[in-house]
């Protein structure tokens, strides 16, 4: 969901400002009104002016980690920010980092703070990065904050790698099965076609279908890349078109085991950002706003965004999360304990460790289950192909 900055009147007198998440401008106004405020001005944080300012190329997760690691090492060595950026401009291995260091250096030399300079490029760094840097700079803990961000991004990279690694094997098997099926249809079945036609009996249905499919693909082979392109485009549309994405996000949460993988990977990123930002001294509501940005599942994002509204209205975080009915009970217990004991930061960190261990267990279980499932898929394809080839031969022997 987009982030909106609002200016509103409290009890008709006091002017208050803040940030909220909402699906559109109308919903943002409704959220502010539900908070007991009268909205006077609401603007989307990711507005056109900011987008136009973002002339730098976006950084990948690996590039962000490289940039932060180098910058933190230089700062911790006592080198001023401008000189650190100057060194990176000249010596960084990646061109995007060199260009970025040059731009940041020039703007800081012109009088901007490091956080204000980053805020001009939200498409490059992301709102989480910018928010944490701003808090760290204001608290005089920029080096420490950079270390927190580096650990956070490294953790996110590890989770992403684990999830992708888990899904790579089935994807490879599916692609391999598709290629084998095409080879069988285009080259193998046509070779047996003349022999099958010499039989007096009608061919089994499965054999007829395979031969017809092989004849079609051999004649109209150029339709194969067309179909593949259409499939890829369709997948891109589904993932980028929000209504279709919402339906897909609901479906994946109903698939056993896969739903746990999606939920716990989202929760792990969410709580990690919340923990790091809370330790950096950011107010709890702003921590939640930063954390919700990391959520990739629209169902989880919508429910937790609604929970943030309740926190803004005065409800405790644990109670607001409990009302969503999607947050793990152990996590709710940890947050509630942290709120009651005044050790929320410590309990958030323990919650992150709990989620990481749970996610590791889910990934191990999925890895063990995927192998037999893939063997069944390959075995089924081989069985169908074998039946299509040998059933006509069995018919001729029986006669």
């Amino acid at each position: 969901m987009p982030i909106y900055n609002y200016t509103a009147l409290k009890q008709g007198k006091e002017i208050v400002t803040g940030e909220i998440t909402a699906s559109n401008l109308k919903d943002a106004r409704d959220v502010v009104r539900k908070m007991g405020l009268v909205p006077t001005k609401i603007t989307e944080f990711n507005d056109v002016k900011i987008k136009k300012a973002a002339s730098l190329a976006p950084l990948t997760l690996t590039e962000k980690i490289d940039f932060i690691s180098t910058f933190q090492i230089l700062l911790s060595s006592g080198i001023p920010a401008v000189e650190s950026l100057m060194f990176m401009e000249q010596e960084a291995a990646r061109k995007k980092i060199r260009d970025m260091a040059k731009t940041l250096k020039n703007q800081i030399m012109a009088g901007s703070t490091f956080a204000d300079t980053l805020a001009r490029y939200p498409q490059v760094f992301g709102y989480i990065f910018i928010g944490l840097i701003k808090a760290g700079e204001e608290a005089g803990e920029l080096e420490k904050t950079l270390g927190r961000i580096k650990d956070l991004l490294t953790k996110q990279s590890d989770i992403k790698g684990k999830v992708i690694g888990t899904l790579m094997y089935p994807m490879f098997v599916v692609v391999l099965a598709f290629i084998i099926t095409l080879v069988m249809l285009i080259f193998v079945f046509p070779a047996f076609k003349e022999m099958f036609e010499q039989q007096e009996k009608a061919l089994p249905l499965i054999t007829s279908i395979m031969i017809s499919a092989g004849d079609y693909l051999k004649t109209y082979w150029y339709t194969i890349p067309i179909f593949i392109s259409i499939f890829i485009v369709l997948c891109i549309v589904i993932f980028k078109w929000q209504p279709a994405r919402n339906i897909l996000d609901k479906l994946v949460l109903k698939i056993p085991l896969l739903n746990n993988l999606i939920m716990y990977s989202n929760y792990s990123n969410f709580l990690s950002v919340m923990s790091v930002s809370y330790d950096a001294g950011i107010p709890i509501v702003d921590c939640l706003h930063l954390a919700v940005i990391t959520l990739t599942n629209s169902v989880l994002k919508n429910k937790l965004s609604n929970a943030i509204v309740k926190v803004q209205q005065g409800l405790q975080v644990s109670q607001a999360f409990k009302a969503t009915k999607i947050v793990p009970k152990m996590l709710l217990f940890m947050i509630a304990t942290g709120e009651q004991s005044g050790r929320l930061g410590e309990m958030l960190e323990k919650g992150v460790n709990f989620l990481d261990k749970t996610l590791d267990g889910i990934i191990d279980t999925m890895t063990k289950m995927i192998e037999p499932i893939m063997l069944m898929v390959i075995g089924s394809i081989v069985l169908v192909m074998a039946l299509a080839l040998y059933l006509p031969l069995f018919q001729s022997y029986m006669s």
Side-chain angles (χ1 to χ4, degrees):
M1 283 189 181
I3 298 176
Y4 291 87
N5 291 327
Y6 69 85
T7 303
L9 291 175
K10 184 177 181 180
Q11 298 178 347
K13 300 177 181 178
E14 184 183 353
I15 298 177
V16 294
T17 61
E19 294 178 356
I20 56 172
T21 56
S23 56
N24 52 53
L25 190 59
K26 181 179 179 299
D27 288 346
R29 291 195 185 94
D30 293 338
V31 170
V32 174
R33 290 192 183 99
K34 288 178 181 178
M35 293 166 59
L37 305 174
V38 179
T40 59
K41 183 180 180 182
I42 298 178
T43 56
E44 187 176 353
F45 186 61
N46 187 21
D47 59 18
V48 177
K49 292 181 180 179
I50 293 178
K51 287 181 179 179
K52 287 181 178 178
S55 58
L56 293 174
L59 299 179
T60 63
L61 195 55
T62 302
E63 289 169 341
K64 285 182 182 179
I65 294 173
D66 289 345
F67 169 75
I68 293 172
S69 299
T70 306
F71 193 52
Q72 184 201 19
I73 291 171
L74 293 172
L75 288 179
S76 61
S77 300
I79 302 174
V82 173
E83 294 183 18
S84 299
L85 291 170
M86 189 178 299
F87 173 82
M88 296 173 67
E89 176 191 352
Q90 298 171 354
E91 303 297 334
R94 302 172 187 266
K95 184 178 184 301
K96 282 203 293 186
I97 294 180
R98 293 198 300 271
D99 293 341
M100 182 186 66
K102 179 181 178 180
T103 301
L104 298 180
K105 178 204 69 176
N106 292 338
Q107 295 192 20
I108 292 175
M109 290 177 66
S112 296
T113 64
F114 184 59
D116 289 340
T117 302
L118 295 183
R120 298 175 186 175
Y121 305 97
Q123 303 305 310
V124 179
F125 301 98
Y127 295 110
I128 298 172
F129 190 115
I130 295 169
L132 292 175
I133 290 294
K134 184 176 181 180
E137 194 171 49
E138 289 176 352
E141 298 181 343
L142 182 57
E143 295 175 25
K144 190 175 180 180
T145 302
L146 285 170
R148 292 187 182 121
I149 296 174
K150 183 186 70 174
D151 293 340
L152 174 64
L153 294 181
T154 302
K155 180 177 176 301
Q156 290 179 346
S157 179
D158 291 341
I159 293 174
K160 184 178 179 181
K162 289 178 181 178
V163 174
I164 292 176
T166 303
L167 300 177
M168 278 296 291
Y169 177 66
M171 290 299 297
F172 172 77
V173 172
V174 169
V175 172
L176 181 63
F178 177 74
I179 294 173
I180 292 173
T181 302
L182 285 181
V183 171
M184 291 287 292
L185 291 175
I186 296 174
F187 299 104
V188 177
F189 280 98
F192 284 85
K193 183 179 179 181
E194 293 183 4
M195 182 180 70
F196 290 156
E197 289 176 347
Q198 293 176 0
Q199 297 182 12
E200 296 179 358
K201 292 186 177 181
L203 293 175
L205 177 61
I206 188 173
T207 306
S208 299
I209 292 174
M210 294 297 174
I211 290 176
S212 299
D215 289 338
Y216 174 83
L217 293 175
K218 195 170 185 179
T219 305
Y220 303 101
W221 58 267
Y222 52 85
T223 59
I224 297 174
I226 294 175
F227 287 143
I228 294 175
S229 300
I230 291 173
F231 176 76
I232 293 173
V233 171
L234 185 62
C235 289
I236 293 174
V237 170
I238 289 174
F239 278 98
K240 289 194 173 182
W241 188 41
Q242 197 57 47
R245 181 66 184 271
N246 292 341
I247 295 173
L248 183 63
D249 287 342
K250 288 180 182 178
L251 289 176
V252 297
L253 292 180
K254 295 180 179 179
I255 301 174
L257 203 59
L258 181 60
N259 59 351
N260 287 334
L261 178 67
I262 298 298
M263 289 176 65
Y264 278 92
S265 59
N266 272 264
Y267 287 141
S268 182
N269 285 329
F270 177 88
L271 206 67
S272 296
V273 172
M274 187 176 170
S275 175
V276 169
S277 55
Y278 186 81
D279 286 343
I282 298 176
I284 188 64
V285 173
D286 292 335
C287 293
L288 293 170
H289 280 304
L290 290 175
V292 82
I293 297 174
T294 66
L295 298 175
T296 57
N297 185 279
S298 61
V299 176
L300 301 180
K301 179 173 284 191
N302 290 335
K303 289 192 175 184
L304 289 175
S305 295
N306 292 333
I308 294 175
V309 175
K310 294 179 181 179
V311 174
Q312 289 175 318
Q313 295 172 344
L315 200 64
Q316 286 189 325
V317 175
S318 57
Q319 294 175 340
F321 281 5
K322 185 178 181 180
T324 64
K325 297 181 180 180
I326 59 169
V327 179
K329 292 182 179 179
M330 178 61 77
L331 198 58
L332 291 174
F333 177 73
M334 288 181 174
I335 294 174
T337 302
E339 288 179 319
Q340 293 172 7
S341 63
R343 296 183 296 130
L344 182 58
E346 180 183 341
M347 296 309 295
L348 286 175
E349 187 175 349
K350 290 183 178 180
V352 172
N353 294 331
F354 161 73
L355 290 174
D356 288 345
K357 291 179 181 178
T358 305
L359 185 60
D360 288 340
I362 293 170
I363 290 174
D364 289 340
T365 303
M366 285 195 69
T367 303
K368 293 175 182 177
M369 289 186 62
I370 283 173
E371 292 182 6
I373 292 174
M374 290 299 101
L375 286 175
M376 290 175 61
V377 171
I378 293 293
S380 300
I381 294 173
V382 171
L383 177 62
V384 170
M385 294 295 175
L387 287 175
L389 282 175
Y390 289 107
L391 278 179
L393 299 178
F394 292 152
Q395 281 186 347
S396 62
Y397 292 147
M398 293 296 291
S399 60

